[in-house]
Amino acid sequence: MGLDTKRPDTPHEQRSVRADTLEQIEPSYGAEFVPRPFSLTPAELGGLPAILAGEPTPVRAWVRYPAIARHVRGLALAWTPRAVYVEWEDEGTHRAWVWAPAVERAAPSQTPPAAPPRPSVDMLSVRAAAPLVELVKAHLARSGAEFGTSTARPAGPFGVVVFGSIEHHPVRLEFSADPATNTCVVQLFDLTAKQVLVERVAAPTFKEAIEAYAWAEAIDALTLSGEPDHEHPEP
């Protein structure tokens, strides 16, 4: 980035702290599942001291997300010879460490444009789907059923399938997001009968889709589909 720590742009006295004490900050999204940007780890920061900006410096920075990179306008709050601690606004305040070559100065007169509305749905990872599975388990428990998880796999950038069983019946739990319609979809598939147990439910969020799904009806359909298959088919 080329921030000169020996000749600052402002007369303010510059202070330094350990870089790894400046932690990543993310807005709270409540129950909504939103991919978080990556911030450099303490090992990557290398235990170096970070110079705190006397006044935040306007910058443009490339910030990495799980599957994409975003070019954001923000402020450099601190820096080391190899990294910059950047703050930017996007549905709340973010702060993260990024590599110095990914950051460049922006003219102070350039007012950062308003961030475009964030889509209601975003990419879904296996890790992000874990809390959704727990929510499904809670709904099934209300009907006296238990979902045993076997394995989870990505189904493209906007979906995850979770293989498991309900009362020894092998099933596939499917989560998918449709960015074209900004909807989240949930459905349960019977691997023995090779059929969807209950029609899928689409909603603005996965939480709403899970709450609206007819789990009791799905369990009844699973029971009527035949004897459980104790040898689970390969996913």
Side-chain angles (χ1 to χ4, degrees):
M1 175 178 159
L3 288 173
D4 190 343
T5 59
K6 295 182 180 179
R7 292 180 297 175
D9 294 335
T10 64
H12 297 275
E13 180 182 356
Q14 292 183 314
R15 298 181 296 112
S16 65
V17 297
R18 278 183 59 94
D20 54 16
T21 63
L22 300 176
E23 300 180 344
Q24 182 174 9
I25 293 177
E26 285 294 299
S28 174
Y29 294 108
E32 190 175 0
F33 295 91
V34 179
R36 267 54 171 175
F38 291 118
S39 183
L40 299 181
T41 65
E44 290 171 315
L45 292 173
L48 296 173
I51 300 297
L52 299 176
E55 288 185 355
T57 303
V59 295
R60 299 191 68 182
W62 284 102
V63 181
R64 299 294 307 180
Y65 282 76
I68 60 174
R70 292 178 179 171
H71 203 197
V72 304
R73 290 184 182 272
L75 299 171
L77 304 183
W79 54 85
T80 74
R82 65 172 67 169
V84 183
Y85 189 53
V86 178
E87 175 183 279
W88 72 98
E89 297 291 330
D90 181 11
E91 296 291 326
T93 300
H94 304 258
R95 290 182 183 178
W97 281 102
V98 300
W99 293 116
V103 183
E104 60 184 0
R105 291 178 183 272
S109 59
Q110 289 181 324
T111 302
R118 185 173 46 79
S120 297
V121 298
D122 216 322
M123 290 166 292
L124 180 65
S125 66
V126 170
R127 183 176 180 180
L132 300 179
V133 174
E134 293 304 314
L135 188 56
V136 168
K137 288 182 178 180
H139 279 271
L140 288 171
R142 297 173 190 172
S143 299
E146 182 178 352
F147 177 61
T149 305
S150 173
T151 184
R153 295 180 181 177
F158 299 100
V160 169
V161 293
V162 182
F163 296 90
S165 63
I166 298 177
E167 305 302 328
H168 302 294
H169 291 270
V171 296
R172 184 177 68 226
L173 180 60
E174 302 175 357
F175 300 104
S176 62
D178 184 351
T181 59
N182 285 338
T183 55
C184 301
V185 177
V186 174
Q187 71 177 10
L188 193 62
F189 188 86
D190 185 342
L191 291 173
T192 300
K194 307 296 183 184
Q195 65 181 14
V196 174
L197 291 169
V198 176
E199 285 300 316
R200 69 178 193 168
V201 171
T205 67
F206 281 111
K207 181 181 179 181
E208 291 175 275
I210 292 171
E211 291 176 346
Y213 195 79
W215 298 106
E217 184 179 338
I219 294 172
D220 290 341
L222 187 64
T223 303
L224 294 173
S225 66
E227 291 298 321
D229 183 357
H230 294 281
E231 294 185 2
H232 292 201
E234 289 294 327

